[in-house]
Amino acid sequence: MRIVLLGAPGSGKGTQGKRLMAHYGIPQISTGDLLRAAVGAKSALGLKAKAAMDAGELVSDDIVLGMIEERLAEADASNGFILDGFPRNLVQAKALDVMLDRLGQPLDTAMLIDVSKDLLLKRLTGRRTCEGCGQMYNIYFQAAQVDGRCDACGGNLKQRADDNEETIANRLQIYDQQTKPLIGYYQQQGRLIEIAGDGDVDLIFKRILSLLGGFREQEA
Ligand code: AMP
C-alpha cells in the first residue's frame, strides 16, 4: 500500500498514520517529524527549516523533496508507505509522482481526512505530546490522568512550538491556499478517497480500514 494522507493540520493524519503503520507493517513517513528531528539535532537542514516552521509557513520544496527522496530510498519503504504531511502543494505532488514513477511504485490512494474548522482548532490548541515516549494527549478530549505527566511513562507533556494560536491560524490559511488544491489533483487522477475525521480515534480508524479494504478489493 502506498498512501498519501491529506488533511488540514489537526485532522488526525499523524494519529491515524501511526495506526496504519502498525496495521499494514509499512512505515509512516511524516515530513513534519523528520523536520522536527532535524531542528532538534541542530543540523544544517534543521537550522534552515526552523524559521519557516516557527512561523507556520511551508519549508522550501527543495529541502522537503530531498528529505523525502532519501527516506523513500530506505529499505523499509520498498513494501509501501504512508505519507503524512507530504505533499503540501502542487509542486511537491507532481515531484512525488515523478519520483514514484521512476521507482515503478505509483501511489495507490490519497486519503482525505475531513474535519470541521472548530474541531481542528480544539485539536491543535489542546494537543500535548510526551517528551519521553511520544504518546499524544489532548486537554479537551484525551487528558492525561495527572496534568502535564504521561500516563504511559511519566514523561513531561509538551505543547508543540507551532501549536500556538497565531501560528495555527497561519498554518490553516496555508493549508487552504496551498494544500487544498491537491484534493482536485488526486480526484482527477481517480485516487482520492474521503473519510469523515470527526469522532473518536478508533471509530475513524474503522472507517479508514473499511474504505481501504474496499479499495484493495477493487484493485485485486
Ligand atoms: P506537520 O507536523 O505536518 O504539521 O508539519 C509541521 C511544519 O513542518 C509545517 O507547518 C511546515 O512548516 C513544515 N512542513 C512539514 N511538512 C512539510 C512539507 N511537505 N512541505 C513544507 N513544509 C512542511
Side-chain angles (χ1 to χ4, degrees), residues 73-149:
E74 284 177 34
D76 66 341
S78 62
N79 292 325
F81 47 76
I82 300 137
L83 291 178
D84 158 11
F86 176 89
R88 279 272 222 294
N89 60 27
L90 278 170
V91 169
Q92 294 181 10
K94 287 178 183 167
L96 176 66
D97 282 347
V98 171
M99 246 182 250
L100 295 180
D101 263 1
R102 218 167 35 218
L103 295 170
Q105 296 193 331
L107 213 57
D108 291 310
T109 186
M111 178 182 300
L112 172 65
I113 308 182
D114 200 18
V115 173
S116 74
K117 206 146 251 179
D118 283 356
L119 186 53
L120 288 177
L121 284 174
K122 275 198 155 165
R123 286 209 184 144
L124 291 166
T125 54
R127 177 155 70 181
R128 301 290 183 273
T129 311
C130 174
E131 283 183 307
C133 68
Q135 173 71 37
M136 290 174 73
Y137 296 86
N138 188 293
I139 59 167
Y140 300 112
F141 309 116
Q142 198 201 346
Q145 279 165 13
V146 178
D147 196 25
R149 288 270 149 232

Side-chain angles (χ1 to χ4, degrees), residues 38-55:
V39 170
K42 297 196 164 63
S43 68
L45 188 151
L47 293 175
K48 272 194 205 160
K50 187 174 186 311
M53 292 175 78
D54 285 347

Side-chain angles (χ1 to χ4, degrees), residues 24-87:
Y24 288 115
I26 52 178
Q28 170 216 21
I29 300 176
S30 153
T31 40
D33 286 349
L34 292 172
L35 287 164
R36 276 185 290 280
V39 170
K42 297 196 164 63
S43 68
L45 188 151
L47 293 175
K48 272 194 205 160
K50 187 174 186 311
M53 292 175 78
D54 285 347
E57 308 279 344
L58 293 187
V59 172
S60 71
D61 291 333
D62 56 336
I63 291 185
V64 173
L65 288 170
M67 223 170 56
I68 276 286
E69 188 147 27
E70 254 177 44
R71 183 63 188 87
L72 289 178
E74 284 177 34
D76 66 341
S78 62
N79 292 325
F81 47 76
I82 300 137
L83 291 178
D84 158 11
F86 176 89

